[in-house]
Amino acid sequence: MLPDFLIIDDDPINNKICNRIIQFTIAGSAVKSFTDPGQGLEHIQTNYENTNATKAILFLDINMPSMTGWDVLVKFDGFPSTVKDKVKIFMLSSSVDPQDIERANSNPLVTGYVTKSLSKDKLQDAFADYVRKN
């Protein structure tokens, strides 16, 4: 069974690009995007708390004005383990700052780091990483 795909990024154009790439690359994928990180977190908590819920891959932007990706990770860490076990997070950022990459890779909640723009190859690599870790 395919995981759901979630995108939390304040840039609606990036969200549309990601949505198209995901649907084109992994046919039949359910994709939901959020420009408001709070709404994305609410969706995750509500929809992935059930033990029968589908698993999900979240592409999370780092630099957002209302709540950074780091802030989202702090809030996500407070979710029950039933939620955290279902949602695998990939940071999706334009940042190539080694400190951001190291910070993401050292966070146990983060499965991987993907530089923008999402491409078919980057998505396939992230999906393969997701499959290896599940």
Side-chain angles (χ1 to χ4, degrees):
M1 179 173 226
L2 288 174
D4 294 340
F5 286 87
L6 307 171
I7 306 156
I8 297 179
D9 189 328
D10 62 309
D11 181 355
I13 294 171
N14 182 68
N15 291 350
K16 284 185 187 243
I17 291 168
C18 289
N19 190 313
R20 288 250 201 227
I21 289 169
I22 292 166
Q23 290 183 340
F24 174 78
T25 306
I26 304 174
S29 298
V31 183
K32 188 132 178 97
S33 61
F34 302 89
T35 54
D36 179 317
Q39 289 177 347
L41 284 166
E42 185 177 311
H43 174 82
I44 290 168
Q45 189 168 27
T46 302
N47 290 282
Y48 297 95
E49 195 165 32
N50 183 325
T51 55
N52 296 325
T54 304
K55 292 189 175 193
I57 294 175
L58 168 61
F59 288 107
L60 175 62
D61 187 23
I62 292 176
N63 297 311
M64 297 179 283
S66 63
M67 183 185 303
T68 69
W70 309 121
D71 297 332
V72 170
L73 288 174
V74 169
K75 292 192 179 292
F76 181 81
D77 195 29
F79 287 177
S81 61
T82 52
V83 174
K84 291 191 283 190
D85 291 344
K86 286 196 177 38
V87 180
K88 300 302 176 198
I89 301 172
F90 288 84
M91 300 306 281
L92 178 66
S93 180
S94 57
S95 173
V96 292
D97 182 338
Q99 289 181 331
D100 282 340
I101 296 168
E102 175 58 32
R103 185 174 178 189
N105 289 332
S106 66
N107 188 313
L109 298 171
V110 176
T111 301
Y113 192 94
V114 179
T115 55
K116 287 183 182 176
S117 291
L118 187 64
S119 67
K120 179 180 177 181
D121 290 339
K122 290 176 185 178
L123 174 61
Q124 287 173 328
D125 288 346
F127 188 69
D129 198 23
Y130 163 83
V131 170
R132 272 192 304 275
K133 294 179 179 177
N134 276 301

